[in-house]
């Protein structure tokens, strides 16, 4: 308790009047994290930046609008990602009030989430509460800190590692660490999370990571860091846990009325609820036809996100995943609208059907997948091949995913490089519009050759350069943190 003397009042009343003031601020924590209720509330707060990251959803759109699968209608600054014309200020996004769709949102949400996770890790150990639950809460905070660091490093490369709370403004000023050190920290946090006794599916609460999800993030992080043995080990651990399985029909993973059943495969997602006020995202509106034209897509849609025709044509006609795209739609009168009339910006529009919500009037039902079991099979296939070539085990992993899609087994006898290329293509078909493909292209260096070919009448030229492998650190952050340096290619 701080005592403040008010001298004017003292002079007026001739006695020393004193006021007791309790100080509340973002760094005043002495009266919090004391009880079980405090710990639970603190954990909920650590998820809030995750929702900020995915409500735009910057967590998927910055990748999807950059890749060779999907593209935006060029409104409110969305085309700067597709054309690679964004700057270090993210000027266009800011001027159109679209920071929530920009890399700047990833940075801001990532470090907001890390800060909140750090307070839990530092303070909750002293809380008076059930020890088992306490351990789980701390473990979940370690998972979230690892996830936030991973989102930051895959988008910006070398980034600051933050593992202690900011007790003062000076504590928040931290310089960058090499990407290798960031991944080392991610692994350490995931080891802590795995040892924390998190429940396994189906005992886990919706939107929370199960114990197996810790390994899923570990596998994906190790894949991106080219630590193939680690990636294979962790992906295999998820697969052999027996807690998850692929849904028989891949289309049901995304159906609004199959959400609960889909959790058998959709291990961790950005969960939304059809309530107001509540968290939602834009993908239903972006992916559906303009002027809310297609009832099966959503009550309110804008026609602002499409798939490239070349990507649609890359699918086998036997591939069930192709049915998650469409070149026509049925309007409110029951009339079939042909492809040439889907959107006025091109006669080659292809609609995305992964985020349909025909029933909600408030909020949006479809979850955004982040870790699916199919990913673990394809991580295992790639990691096994990079370690040992196109072995029977590697074929077994990829063929599990292909079989579910309605495809024949992959041709045998492929070289190591050809097999890995087949896995990357399988990933493209499996995870389109889920914010995944761009990172496959950047981590393998293929973005410089693939992206210039991913063009259409809307975007006939796409001038990607080497510096676009990572996004520039927002200038606002550089201005606020004198220890922070811009990515070398963006200086």
């Amino acid at each position: 308790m701080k005592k403040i003397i008010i001298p004017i009042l003292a002079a007026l009343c001739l006695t020393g009047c004193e006021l007791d003031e309790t100080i509340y601020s973002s760094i005043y924590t002495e009266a919090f994290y004391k009880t079980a209720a405090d710990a639970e509330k603190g954990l909920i707060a650590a998820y809030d930046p995750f929702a900020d990251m995915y409500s735009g959803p910057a967590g998927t759109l910055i990748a999807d609008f950059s890749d060779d699968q999907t593209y935006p209608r060029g409104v409110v600054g969305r085309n700067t990602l597709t054309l690679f014309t964004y700057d270090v200020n993210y000027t266009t996004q800011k001027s159109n009030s679209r920071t929530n769709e920009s890399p700047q949102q990833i940075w801001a949400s990532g470090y907001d989430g890390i800060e909140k996770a750090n307070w839990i890790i530092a303070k909750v150990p002293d809380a008076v509460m059930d020890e088992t639950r306490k351990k789980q809460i701390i473990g979940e905070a370690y998972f979230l800190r690892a996830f936030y660091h991973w989102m930051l490093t895959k988008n910006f490369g070398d980034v600051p590692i933050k593992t202690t709370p900011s007790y003062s403004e000076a504590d928040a000023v931290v310089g960058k660490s090499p990407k290798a050190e960031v991944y080392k920290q991610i692994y350490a946090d995931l080891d802590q999370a795995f040892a924390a006794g998190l429940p396994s599916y189906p005992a886990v609460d919706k939107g929370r990571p199960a114990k197996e999800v810790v390994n899923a993030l570990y596998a994906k992080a190790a894949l991106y860091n080219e630590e193939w043995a680690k990636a294979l080990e962790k992906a295999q651990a998820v697969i052999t846990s027996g807690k998850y399985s692929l849904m028989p029909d891949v289309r049901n993973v995304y159906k609004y009325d199959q959400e609960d059943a889909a959790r058998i495969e959709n291990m961790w997602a950005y969960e939304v609820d059809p309530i107001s006020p509540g968290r939602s995202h834009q993908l239903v509106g972006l992916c559906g036809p303009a002027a809310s034209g297609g009832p099966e897509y959503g009550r309110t849609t804008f026609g602002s996100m499409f798939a490239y025709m070349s990507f649609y044509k890359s699918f086998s006609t036997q591939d069930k995943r192709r049915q998650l795209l469409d070149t026509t739609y049925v309007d409110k009168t029951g009339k079939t609208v042909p492809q040439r009339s889907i959107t006025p910006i091109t006669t080659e529009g292809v609609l995305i059907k992964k985020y349909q919500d025909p029933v909600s009037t408030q909020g949006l039902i479809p979850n955004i997948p982040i870790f699916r079991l199919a990913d673990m099979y394809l991580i295992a296939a790639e990691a096994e091949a990079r370690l040992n070539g196109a072995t029977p085990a590697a074929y077994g992993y990829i063929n599990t995913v292909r079989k579910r899609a309605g495809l024949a087994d992959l041709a045998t006898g492929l070289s190591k490089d050809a097999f890995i290329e087949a896995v990357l293509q399988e990933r493209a078909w499996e995870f389109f519009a889920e914010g995944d493909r761009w990172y496959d292209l950047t981590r393998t260096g293929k973005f410089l050759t693939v992206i210039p070919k991913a063009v259409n009448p809307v975007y006939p030229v796409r001038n990607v350069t080497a510096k676009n492998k990572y996004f520039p650190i927002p200038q606002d952050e550089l201005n606020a943190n004198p220890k922070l340096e811009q990515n070398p290619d963006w200086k």
Side-chain angles (χ1 to χ4, degrees):
M1 194 73 69
K2 182 179 180 182
K3 294 187 176 182
I4 299 178
I5 304 294
I6 312 297
I8 295 176
L9 291 179
L12 289 175
C13 64
L14 301 179
T15 58
C17 299
E18 297 182 355
L19 297 178
D20 289 340
E21 178 188 44
T22 300
I23 300 173
Y24 296 96
S25 75
S26 60
I27 61 171
Y28 184 76
T29 61
E30 298 308 315
F32 199 63
Y33 301 108
K34 298 291 188 182
T35 67
D38 290 346
E40 298 287 358
K41 290 172 185 176
L43 183 58
I44 291 171
Y47 277 92
D48 196 50
F50 172 64
D52 292 339
M53 191 180 288
Y54 277 88
S55 60
T60 62
L61 290 187
I62 65 171
D64 288 337
F65 287 167
S66 301
D67 69 20
D68 60 332
Q69 300 174 327
T70 58
Y71 63 93
R73 184 161 55 94
V75 295
V76 295
R78 292 185 179 120
N79 58 1
T80 64
L81 291 160
T82 307
L83 296 173
F84 303 99
T85 56
Y86 44 85
D87 58 27
V88 297
N89 289 298
Y90 298 104
T91 305
T92 305
Q93 284 88 348
K94 287 181 182 177
S95 63
N96 287 281
S97 300
R98 292 290 165 177
T99 301
N100 65 334
E101 298 177 5
S102 78
Q104 184 159 1
Q105 186 69 61
I106 300 292
W107 186 281
S109 296
Y111 283 107
D112 184 15
I114 288 168
E115 181 69 18
K116 289 172 178 173
N118 282 341
W119 282 111
I120 294 169
I121 293 166
K123 292 291 187 178
V124 169
D126 293 330
V128 178
M129 61 180 296
D130 176 77
E131 289 298 318
T132 298
R133 180 58 189 149
K134 177 194 292 187
K135 189 177 179 181
Q136 290 176 343
I137 288 173
I138 297 169
E140 208 164 323
Y142 274 114
F143 171 84
L144 287 173
R145 191 169 76 179
F147 176 78
Y148 289 131
H149 275 118
W150 178 64
M151 289 295 290
L152 288 158
T153 195
K154 73 177 184 176
N155 282 294
F156 298 99
D158 298 345
V159 296
I161 298 171
K162 191 75 166 58
T163 58
T164 56
S166 297
Y167 291 91
S168 68
E169 185 176 337
D171 292 339
V173 179
V174 180
K176 291 198 298 186
S177 294
K179 185 177 69 170
E181 292 300 312
V182 181
Y183 275 101
K184 184 178 178 181
Q185 184 62 53
I186 290 169
Y187 299 154
D189 284 352
L190 292 175
D191 286 337
Q192 292 280 359
F194 191 80
L198 296 178
S200 292
Y201 180 82
V204 66
D205 291 338
K206 296 177 182 179
R208 298 294 181 88
K211 183 178 182 180
E212 295 74 28
V213 173
V214 176
N215 276 335
L217 174 52
Y218 209 133
K220 196 73 173 275
L223 182 78
Y224 282 23
N225 203 35
E226 298 185 357
E227 296 190 58
W228 314 124
K230 259 189 176 74
L232 179 59
E233 174 196 349
K234 300 302 181 180
Q236 286 176 327
V238 178
I239 294 167
T240 59
S241 71
K243 300 297 182 180
Y244 295 93
S245 61
L246 297 181
M247 296 194 78
D249 189 334
V250 66
R251 295 166 295 185
N252 287 340
V253 175
Y254 309 97
K255 287 186 176 178
Y256 72 95
D257 56 355
Q258 294 286 318
E259 182 180 280
D260 287 333
R263 287 191 179 87
I264 193 70
E265 173 178 344
N266 193 6
M267 300 185 294
W268 195 54
Y270 170 54
E271 300 261 352
V272 293
D273 294 303
I275 59 173
S276 182
R279 289 289 193 167
S280 60
H281 60 75
Q282 296 189 82
L283 289 175
V284 172
L286 293 177
C287 293
S292 307
E296 69 174 321
Y297 285 85
R299 296 288 187 94
T300 305
T301 61
F302 313 109
S304 294
M305 181 175 177
F306 305 95
Y308 288 100
M309 189 64 186
S310 57
F311 176 61
Y312 176 74
K313 288 180 176 178
S314 73
F315 285 85
S316 163
T317 57
Q318 305 303 312
D319 195 329
K320 294 178 182 177
R321 295 168 298 194
R322 192 187 194 210
Q323 296 176 40
L324 293 166
L325 299 166
D326 213 339
T327 55
T328 65
Y329 71 90
V330 178
D331 69 13
K332 295 175 182 178
T333 69
K335 177 183 176 182
T336 297
V337 176
Q339 185 178 34
R340 66 178 181 273
S341 302
I342 283 177
T343 171
I345 65 173
T346 177
T347 59
E348 297 181 354
V350 178
L351 291 166
I352 299 162
K353 303 180 76 171
K354 282 189 171 181
Y355 301 103
Q356 292 179 301
D357 179 6
V359 300
S360 292
T361 56
Q362 295 185 42
L364 301 168
I365 288 178
N367 293 335
I368 299 177
I370 298 176
F371 296 119
R372 291 201 284 118
L373 184 64
D375 204 354
M376 299 301 105
Y377 278 105
L378 294 180
I379 288 172
E382 181 178 344
E384 168 68 18
R386 291 190 184 274
L387 287 169
N388 304 308
T391 64
Y395 270 98
Y397 291 128
I398 191 173
N399 285 337
T400 298
V401 176
R402 289 176 62 84
K403 181 178 180 180
R404 194 268 295 270
L407 299 177
D409 286 352
L410 187 65
T412 57
L414 293 179
S415 68
K416 175 180 177 178
D417 289 346
F419 183 90
I420 292 170
E421 187 62 33
V423 175
L424 293 173
Q425 180 59 66
E426 202 68 43
R427 294 185 62 85
W429 290 326
E430 183 70 28
F431 303 117
F432 72 87
E434 295 180 36
D436 191 78
R437 172 66 169 174
W438 172 246
Y439 305 111
D440 279 346
L441 294 176
T442 55
R443 71 181 174 86
T444 59
K446 294 179 180 296
F447 70 104
L448 290 172
T449 55
V450 170
I451 295 301
K453 299 174 184 177
V455 295
N456 64 6
V458 185
Y459 300 105
V461 178
R462 300 180 65 201
N463 292 319
V464 67
T465 64
K467 73 178 184 179
N468 298 117
K469 178 176 182 178
Y470 295 117
F471 294 103
I473 295 173
Q475 187 63 45
D476 291 346
E477 303 298 333
L478 297 171
N479 295 342
N481 183 351
K483 291 186 179 181
L484 196 58
E485 293 184 8
Q486 183 57 273
N487 287 335
D489 289 341
W490 284 94
K491 287 183 177 179

